[in-house]
Amino acid sequence: MKKLFLIILLLFTATSLVAQHNHNHSADNTLDVKEIDVKHSLYHLDAKWTDHRGDTVTLDDFKGKPVIVVMFYGNCTDVCPILIQDTWRLYSSIDKSVQKDVNVLAVSFDTENDTPEVLNEYAKYEQLDIPGWHFMTADDADVRTLAMMLGVQYSKKSDGHFAHSNLVTVLDEKGRIAHRVEGLNQPMDEVKGTIELIMDRLNK
């Protein structure tokens, strides 16, 4: 009986250590969101972006309507798929009369691997190669500048993966930050309301 108890104790300890390791691994990959100045428009950034359809765009091309922005990378199999689905959950919850005027910019910070061709495959895999959605890449410096303006932190690790903030941002019609949702699986009712209020204001 004593021997059986020791075996059970060892198994419990091993399971606890594995669970703790996995938890800490997830925590190590998550960076805090930084405070930002919401008064500044992101549309003054003149970087050229290429989306997953091969089109060249600037952020200014999306002015005049609400825009949802999320930063991710394609090789992330842990939190990024959840982050993209959170963005879809927000987008799909918006009233259809408003949704057609909302663009989604999914910006990769893995500029080495996430080429427009790779992003095209990613968009199709996620079933998000749809009007209004743009999976985008640019030069390292331009991606870093956008991240800084949004308050997103990211850092490449030795294994090629990234530690990063988990953030969904809504820009108003002038490119100013109107709402930010930090974390995964967060409620979207408030930010949905922000988007619809922007559109109500524009339609008056």
Side-chain angles (χ1 to χ4, degrees):
M1 181 66 72
K2 186 174 181 182
K3 189 174 181 181
L4 179 62
F5 174 77
L6 286 172
I7 291 171
I8 293 171
L9 181 62
L10 286 170
L11 285 172
F12 176 78
T13 303
T15 303
S16 297
L17 286 172
V18 170
Q20 184 178 10
H21 172 75
N22 289 338
H23 174 76
N24 288 340
H25 177 72
S26 178
D28 288 345
N29 286 334
T30 302
L31 299 178
D32 290 336
V33 170
K34 298 188 74 173
E35 292 300 316
I36 42 85
D37 188 343
V38 298
K39 297 190 298 293
H40 294 302
S41 172
L42 271 65
Y43 293 160
H44 78 275
L45 302 175
D46 59 359
K48 301 289 185 183
W49 300 82
T50 305
D51 72 9
H52 71 283
R53 300 178 183 94
D55 296 329
T56 301
V57 297
T58 64
L59 296 181
D60 187 65
D61 291 337
F62 301 100
K63 67 183 178 183
K65 305 288 183 173
V67 174
I68 302 169
V69 186
V70 60
M71 298 192 77
F72 79 110
Y73 70 105
N75 284 330
C76 173
T77 58
D78 185 8
V79 300
C80 291
I82 301 172
L83 193 58
I84 294 296
Q85 286 304 309
D86 282 346
T87 307
W88 165 251
R89 185 161 51 87
L90 167 59
Y91 178 80
S92 61
S93 72
I94 302 166
D95 188 273
K96 292 292 186 290
S97 63
V98 173
Q99 192 183 92
K100 62 183 176 59
D101 292 316
V102 178
N103 282 288
V104 178
L105 311 184
V107 179
S108 171
F109 37 72
D110 187 356
T111 57
E112 181 179 352
N113 295 303
D114 286 343
T115 63
E117 294 78 15
V118 169
L119 291 175
N120 187 274
E121 290 300 317
Y122 187 92
K124 290 176 179 175
Y125 177 80
E126 293 291 341
Q127 299 182 345
L128 291 172
D129 182 19
I130 57 178
W133 280 66
H134 310 266
F135 290 81
M136 299 173 26
T137 185
D139 292 339
D140 277 329
D142 294 326
V143 173
R144 181 68 68 180
T145 299
L146 176 63
M148 182 182 66
M149 294 291 292
L150 293 171
V152 172
Q153 298 193 82
Y154 65 92
S155 176
K156 191 171 186 178
K157 304 189 301 178
S158 58
D159 63 1
H161 288 280
F162 289 80
H164 59 90
S165 309
N166 299 316
L167 184 70
V168 177
T169 302
V170 170
L171 306 180
D172 70 9
E173 72 279 8
K174 295 182 179 178
R176 300 170 302 197
I177 293 172
H179 206 120
R180 298 198 300 170
V181 180
E182 182 179 1
L184 302 173
N185 297 315
Q186 297 300 306
M188 293 296 180
D189 290 344
E190 189 176 348
V191 64
K192 169 194 170 186
T194 297
I195 292 171
E196 292 177 347
L197 281 172
I198 293 170
M199 286 305 302
D200 284 345
R201 185 175 70 243
L202 293 174
N203 290 331
K204 284 182 179 178

